[in-house]
Amino acid sequence: MYLTYDRYDELGGQIPEEQYPLYAARADAIITRMTHGRIRQENPVRACVQYAAFALAEAIYADVRQGADGREITSVSNDGVSIAYASGGLSGAAEQIQRYTSVVRAYLEYETDANGVFLLYAGVDA
């Protein structure tokens, strides 16, 4: 796990402790996939990775609280049970992926591994 609950709590996180493992696991999977596993075995975990995990877990948690698929709710009716969502060019899932990718990039875009390879580099390492 890139970010323990204790460290998450120190940073001011809003996710309840009993729910945190679910969001942390999702954030870890996204970060691991985007870094192509380059940081999976690093110990101690870099601060920038911890911050990325924090921000990503918060974003995922906010999406779950906002709506099932992360779309922005623009209005809600009570008696007629009506919910209106913002429309855009991307589906809710594609929008989420784009947001999550942006969160990780904000923290890890220029970070390199011990060999000087960018953590987010998806090309062929020679």
Side-chain angles (χ1 to χ4, degrees):
M1 184 176 288
Y2 295 127
L3 184 66
T4 64
Y5 182 79
D6 291 337
R7 179 69 176 131
Y8 171 80
D9 193 44
E10 285 175 20
L11 293 171
Q14 301 300 311
I15 302 171
E17 186 172 5
E18 64 277 357
Q19 295 177 13
Y20 179 72
L22 174 68
Y23 296 101
R26 177 96 188 273
D28 285 4
I30 292 168
I31 291 169
T32 299
R33 184 176 63 244
M34 287 185 68
T35 60
H36 311 284
R38 289 187 180 100
I39 58 172
R40 192 178 331 195
Q41 302 302 322
E42 284 188 354
N43 193 11
V45 177
R46 310 170 191 219
C48 62
V49 173
Q50 290 181 11
Y51 297 143
F54 175 86
L56 194 51
E58 288 282 299
I60 296 166
Y61 181 65
D63 279 351
V64 169
R65 289 180 53 128
Q66 186 176 32
D69 63 1
R71 294 179 294 169
E72 180 183 356
I73 297 173
T74 58
S75 68
V76 177
S77 298
N78 189 1
D79 194 50
V81 188
S82 170
I83 300 175
Y85 295 95
S87 61
L90 299 174
S91 70
E95 212 171 86
Q96 279 182 337
I97 291 167
Q98 191 174 41
R99 274 196 322 276
Y100 299 162
T101 299
S102 294
V103 167
V104 174
R105 284 189 183 285
Y107 291 95
L108 303 181
E109 188 156 17
Y110 298 107
E111 289 292 318
T112 61
D113 65 10
N115 298 320
V117 177
F118 288 110
L119 295 180
L120 301 179
Y121 179 65
V124 178
D125 294 335

